[in-house]
């Protein structure tokens, strides 16, 4: 029998959502946690999260290393069968439960260690990612001069082995330039940009264990980076959602400016043709497919926890299927577009130096802080282009860093869950920023770049693949694919397309497993130029990688020990079944198997589907004040 108007108004008219009586609508569905002001903010934030520094320095490098245009074919195949499906899964997961990377595991409590693993990974990445941003800040400030300080070899930090491409024009003799003299760091000749990077910015020590002094300019830039991140996040998604209008869009303005300038340079066509011309003989190489899968997987930010966190602030019926398509394609299109920008400049640089395009490029920090700065010195009005380039790197890095920190803060606040910590979320954000700054201080020492590369290579490598694989398997095969498809249909109004259902169940886990196997087969000990990392440092790297993965079995054992049941099978069954509070966060969205007991409000009586229900007799109901009263059968 339908509820009388008074009960409907009380239970579904806004009280459960924090609205005052008589209020017709609320700006936020979930007043307790908050929502994005509009979907543009969510899309821009997710684009800023997915589009990062790797789109600028890693994708172009992989393209020319793996056959130029031929690399695009496996790249887009992996995007369709692995990237977009996993992206949609994480967005729908977080949006359905309106919880961060810990709270969502009410779906199967034994696998909550996956959420802790995501937090550990995001912590590692957040620490070193902000150091890369601080380096970009340092170069940004250093570019504010009439002549870029890494243009010539006439500075106090330069050595007699320094030989710059513009030194001849400056009055000093420069030897003929070729590949081995230009960028082969094993020979004596060094470029001014490399010496500026190693001897002035880093004051690089000779060993990872020799920390030396803290580089105060870098420490100051690191402080600036963390202050900016905190100021943009101190009100949660309400403040970061406004900032991303600038941080997520302006890099495209800079990319376009650099692209227009790049294609007008002499030799730019040569660089672009090298970028696009496919070498079809490499299409059958397993390494090419492995690199394509890895790049898709890592560039989209899967298994970091950020996608779940950002989607948890969506309104319940938001079309996250549409968003996942838009964001994934935007991310990959940005990588391709950045490739045109980079190779137009590298083509110009190659012609200027008389070498092949493939011989003037590197990857990682070497590309961003050695090769690009040297290329920028060849452009007219070089300080202007340098300022624009490093400003673009700063914005790309900040977009990812916002989501990394918000992932950790949201997980902590959701886990505690009481009103006290929700009201003090700003102080949680401040605390995380201070801790992140302190943990980043060792990376600003003279051995800091060694530690940064160690964390980059190990902390977020194969552990991400394992975490993502277990997440996919636990949702599809432990919780059940039919249950999850019904949840999505309840949320979006339509079930996931058949293609995504097949990918989630078969293709995506298979591709993830392939990436894992390929990562193990391709493994090589880490090195930085000619420096080979000692065994003890590599061991620390493996421990960082294992620290996130071990969260999964350790928490599973803990949950099994605390689960109800007399046998192991009973404990396993109870530990993997969804908890009673799994489902949509707000009562007005709970329907079907998530529907509350008739006549009971969720904010005064927790959902307990295992309790017997009867509509034929009056039942004693526990009130919010602890008193018992009779419930009329009409209700």
């Amino acid at each position: 029998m339908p509820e009388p108007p008074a009960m409907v108004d009380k239970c579904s008219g806004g009280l459960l959502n924090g609205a005052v009586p008589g209020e017709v609508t609320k700006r936020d569905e979930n007043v307790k946690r908050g929502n994005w002001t509009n979907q543009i903010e969510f899309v821009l934030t997710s684009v800023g999260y997915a589009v990062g520094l790797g789109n600028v320095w890693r994708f172009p490098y992989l393209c020319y290393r793996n056959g130029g245009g031929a690399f695009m074919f496996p790249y887009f195949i992996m995007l369709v069968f692995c990237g977009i499906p996993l992206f949609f899964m994480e967005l729908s997961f977080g949006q359905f439960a309106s919880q961060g990377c810990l709270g969502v595991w009410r779906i199967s409590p034994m696998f909550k260690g996956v959420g802790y693993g995501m937090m550990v990974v995001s912590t590692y990445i957040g620490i070193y990612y902000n150091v890369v941003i601080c380096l970009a800040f340092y170069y940004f400030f250093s570019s504010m001069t009439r002549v870029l300080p890494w243009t010539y070899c006439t500075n106090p930090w330069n050595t007699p082995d320094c030989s710059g491409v513009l030194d001849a024009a400056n009055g000093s003799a420069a030897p003929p330039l070729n590949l081995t003299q230009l960028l082969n760091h094993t020979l004596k000749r060094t470029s001014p940009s490399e010496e500026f990077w190693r001897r002035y910015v880093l004051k690089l020590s000779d060993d990872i264990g020799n920390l030396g002094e803290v580089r105060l300019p870098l420490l100051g830039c690191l402080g600036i980076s963390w202050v900016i991140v905190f100021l943009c996040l101190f009100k949660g998604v309400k403040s970061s959602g406004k900032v991303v209008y600038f941080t997520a869009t302006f890099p495209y303005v800079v990319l376009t400016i650099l692209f227009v300038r790049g294609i007008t340079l002499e030799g730019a066509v040569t660089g672009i043709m090298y970028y696009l011309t496919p070498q079809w003989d490499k299409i059958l190489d397993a390494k090419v497919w492995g690199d394509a899968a890895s790049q898709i997987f890592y560039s989209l930010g899967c298994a970091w926890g950020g996608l779940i966190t950002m989607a948890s602030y969506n309104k319940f019926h938001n079309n996250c299927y549409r968003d996942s398509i838009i964001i994934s394609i935007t991310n990959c299109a940005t990588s391709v577009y950045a490739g045109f920008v980079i190779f137009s400049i590298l083509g110009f640089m190659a012609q200027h130096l008389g070498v092949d395009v493939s011989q003037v490029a590197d990857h990682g920090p070497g590309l961003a802080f050695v090769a690009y700065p040297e290329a920028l010195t060849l452009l007219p009005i070089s300080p202007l282009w340098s300022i624009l380039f490093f400003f673009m790197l700063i914005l790309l890095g900040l977009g990812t860093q916002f989501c990394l920190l918000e992932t950790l803060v949201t997980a902590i606040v959701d886990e505690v869950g009481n009103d006290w910590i929700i009201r003090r979320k700003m102080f949680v954000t401040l605390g995380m920023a201070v801790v992140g700054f302190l943990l980043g201080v060792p990376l600003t020492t003279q051995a800091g770049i060694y530690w940064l590369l160690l964390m980059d290579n190990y902390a977020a490598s194969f552990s991400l693949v394992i975490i993502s694989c277990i997440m996919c398997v636990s949702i599809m095969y432990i919780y059940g694919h039919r249950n999850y498809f019904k949840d999505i249909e309840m949320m979006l109004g339509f079930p996931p397309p058949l293609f995504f259902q097949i990918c989630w169940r078969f293709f995506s886990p298979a591709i993830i497993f392939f990436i894992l196997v390929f990562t193990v087969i391709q493994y090589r000990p880490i090195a930085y130029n000619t420096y080979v990392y000692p065994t003890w440092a590599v061991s620390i790297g493996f421990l960082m990688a294992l620290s996130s993965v071990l969260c999964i079995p350790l928490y599973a054992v803990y949950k099994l020990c605390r689960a109800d049941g007399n046998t192991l099978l009973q404990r396993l069954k109870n530990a993997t079944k969804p908890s009673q509070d799994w489902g949509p966060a707000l009562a007005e969205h709970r329907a079907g198997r998530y529907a509350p007991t008739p006549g009971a409000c969720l904010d005064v009586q927790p959902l307990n589907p295992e309790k017997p229900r009867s509509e034929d007799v009056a039942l004693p109901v526990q009130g919010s004040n602890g008193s018992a009263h009779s419930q009329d059968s009409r209700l």
Side-chain angles (χ1 to χ4, degrees):
M1 188 175 293
E3 296 177 350
M7 180 61 72
V8 174
D9 288 343
K10 180 179 179 182
C11 287
S12 60
L15 283 178
L16 292 178
N17 195 24
V20 296
E23 186 177 26
V24 179
T25 59
K26 287 290 291 182
R27 190 172 187 81
D28 289 344
E29 276 189 350
N30 194 328
V31 176
K32 188 175 181 181
R33 294 181 84 249
N35 293 111
W36 299 103
T37 303
N38 55 63
Q39 280 315 108
I40 295 178
E41 292 183 3
F42 166 68
V43 171
L44 289 178
T45 301
S46 300
V47 167
Y49 174 64
V51 177
L53 300 173
N55 296 73
V56 173
W57 71 41
R58 181 172 166 80
F59 177 81
Y61 166 76
L62 290 176
C63 265
Y64 73 74
R65 191 181 77 175
N66 291 304
F71 179 74
M72 302 287 188
F73 180 73
Y75 180 76
F76 286 112
I77 291 291
M78 293 300 176
L79 170 67
V80 171
F81 287 96
C82 186
I84 297 178
L86 285 177
F87 205 91
F88 179 31
M89 173 179 279
E90 291 203 29
L91 291 189
S92 61
F93 196 20
Q95 180 174 308
F96 182 79
S98 297
Q99 291 287 311
C101 61
L102 290 181
V104 290
W105 288 103
R106 295 168 183 170
I107 192 174
S108 185
M110 195 178 83
F111 290 95
K112 192 174 181 178
V114 173
Y116 285 111
M118 290 177 173
M119 286 187 65
V120 172
V121 168
S122 291
T123 300
Y124 286 138
I125 298 174
I127 291 169
Y128 78 78
Y129 214 84
N130 231 19
V131 176
V132 178
I133 297 173
C134 99
L135 290 168
F137 264 115
Y138 188 84
Y139 271 79
F140 174 75
F141 294 136
S142 299
S143 301
M144 296 178 180
T145 180
R146 192 172 62 86
V147 178
L148 294 176
W150 56 84
T151 304
Y152 303 113
C153 293
T154 56
N155 302 289
W157 59 83
N158 290 128
T159 66
D161 298 324
C162 178
S163 179
V165 294
L166 296 177
D167 278 332
N170 196 39
S172 58
L177 292 169
N178 55 39
L179 164 65
T180 56
Q181 290 174 316
L182 177 65
L183 285 178
N184 192 335
H185 298 167
T186 61
L187 298 185
K188 266 195 164 185
R189 188 266 169 189
T190 54
S191 66
S193 63
E194 183 191 348
E195 292 201 349
F196 179 79
W197 165 249
R198 292 170 63 93
R199 296 177 56 84
Y200 184 74
V201 177
L202 302 178
K203 290 191 176 178
L204 192 63
S205 67
D206 57 354
D207 185 73
I208 188 173
N210 181 16
L211 295 179
E213 65 179 10
V214 173
R215 297 285 295 117
L216 293 180
L218 296 184
L219 186 66
C221 290
L222 182 64
I224 292 173
S225 302
W226 276 111
V227 167
I228 291 175
V229 170
F230 169 72
L231 291 178
C232 293
L233 286 178
F234 77 102
K235 287 188 178 179
V237 295
K238 292 300 181 186
S239 55
S240 64
K242 301 297 183 290
V243 176
V244 293
Y245 281 105
F246 179 73
T247 60
T249 57
F250 196 73
Y252 291 97
V253 176
V254 178
L255 274 175
T256 303
I257 293 173
L258 292 174
F259 173 72
V260 172
R261 179 64 186 122
I263 59 176
T264 59
L265 295 170
E266 188 178 1
V269 175
T270 305
I272 292 175
M273 289 304 296
Y274 186 93
Y275 173 51
L276 294 179
T277 303
Q279 301 172 29
W280 294 113
D281 57 309
K282 292 190 176 183
I283 199 86
L284 298 177
D285 189 350
K287 188 174 185 303
V288 175
W289 288 82
D291 281 350
S294 299
Q295 175 63 10
I296 284 292
F297 190 85
Y298 297 127
S299 68
L300 288 176
C302 297
W304 290 14
L307 299 178
I308 295 174
T309 302
M310 295 301 105
S312 72
Y313 292 103
N314 279 333
K315 294 180 179 178
F316 183 73
H317 294 296
N318 169 64
N319 190 347
C320 58
Y321 167 69
R322 172 202 60 203
D323 295 341
S324 63
I325 302 291
I326 293 173
I327 297 165
S328 300
I329 293 177
T330 301
N331 173 68
C332 296
T334 303
S335 296
V336 175
Y337 186 40
F340 282 97
V341 178
I342 300 312
F343 274 88
S344 63
I345 295 176
L346 293 180
F348 164 71
M349 189 175 179
Q351 177 154 328
H352 191 279
L353 301 173
V355 298
D356 191 73
V357 176
S358 62
Q359 299 168 351
V360 296
D362 199 350
H363 73 289
L367 182 63
F369 299 112
V370 176
Y372 286 165
E374 185 163 7
L376 293 169
T377 62
L378 304 177
L379 299 174
I381 326 177
S382 54
L384 172 63
W385 305 115
S386 184
I387 288 172
L388 284 175
F389 177 77
F390 288 109
F391 187 53
M392 177 185 69
L393 288 189
I394 290 169
L395 295 182
L396 288 174
L398 287 175
T400 302
Q401 189 68 19
F402 291 158
C403 296
L404 288 169
L405 187 60
E406 185 63 40
T407 297
L408 299 174
V409 173
T410 298
I412 293 172
V413 172
D414 284 351
E415 185 67 8
V416 177
N418 57 42
D419 292 335
W420 183 88
I421 196 169
I422 291 173
R423 289 195 300 269
R424 291 163 177 80
K425 184 178 178 180
M426 181 182 72
F427 296 102
V428 178
T429 306
L430 177 60
M432 295 298 296
V434 171
V435 171
F437 170 75
L438 294 177
L439 292 176
V441 170
L443 302 186
T444 63
T445 62
Q446 291 178 260
I449 193 66
Y450 297 129
W451 289 101
L452 189 151
L453 291 174
L454 186 73
M455 296 178 73
D456 185 42
N457 278 270
Y458 289 98
S461 56
F462 68 86
S463 55
L464 284 178
V465 184
I466 296 174
I467 290 172
S468 188
C469 188
I470 294 176
M471 180 188 71
C472 197
V473 170
S474 63
I475 295 176
M476 289 294 105
Y477 296 100
I478 305 299
Y479 177 63
H481 62 276
R482 290 186 180 89
N483 290 332
Y484 195 68
F485 297 160
K486 289 177 182 176
D487 289 344
I488 291 182
E489 185 173 9
M490 172 184 167
M491 178 173 64
L492 301 183
F494 58 89
L498 180 61
F499 173 76
F500 284 85
Q501 296 182 22
I502 296 173
C503 284
W504 286 344
R505 295 182 62 192
F506 305 111
F507 291 152
S508 296
I511 291 173
I512 294 171
F513 182 73
F514 164 71
I515 298 173
L516 178 60
V517 172
F518 179 78
T519 303
V520 173
I521 294 174
Q522 192 185 244
Y523 171 75
R524 292 182 182 85
I526 184 175
Y528 177 58
N529 294 333
T530 58
Y531 175 75
V532 178
Y533 281 67
T535 304
W536 65 266
V538 175
S539 300
I540 291 176
F542 275 112
L543 288 175
M544 284 192 291
L546 289 174
S547 64
S548 56
V549 176
L550 286 176
C551 291
I552 302 172
L554 290 177
Y555 189 86
V557 171
Y558 164 77
K559 197 67 181 177
L560 274 176
C561 294
R562 294 180 58 89
D564 296 330
N566 297 322
T567 66
L568 179 61
L569 187 60
Q570 288 176 340
R571 288 173 177 266
L572 185 63
K573 184 178 179 180
N574 290 328
T576 54
K577 73 178 182 180
S579 60
Q580 293 179 359
D581 54 353
W582 161 250
L586 302 180
E588 54 260 44
H589 298 142
R590 285 182 174 264
R593 66 181 186 275
Y594 298 108
T597 303
C601 291
L602 281 181
D603 59 346
V604 298
Q605 178 175 305
L607 178 64
N608 191 348
E610 296 180 355
K611 284 186 177 180
R613 296 184 294 180
S614 173
E615 297 180 357
D616 302 323
V617 295
L619 297 175
V621 177
Q622 191 73 19
S624 59
N625 60 356
S627 62
H629 60 274
S630 178
Q631 178 181 349
D632 195 310
S633 61
R634 291 176 303 151
L635 303 182

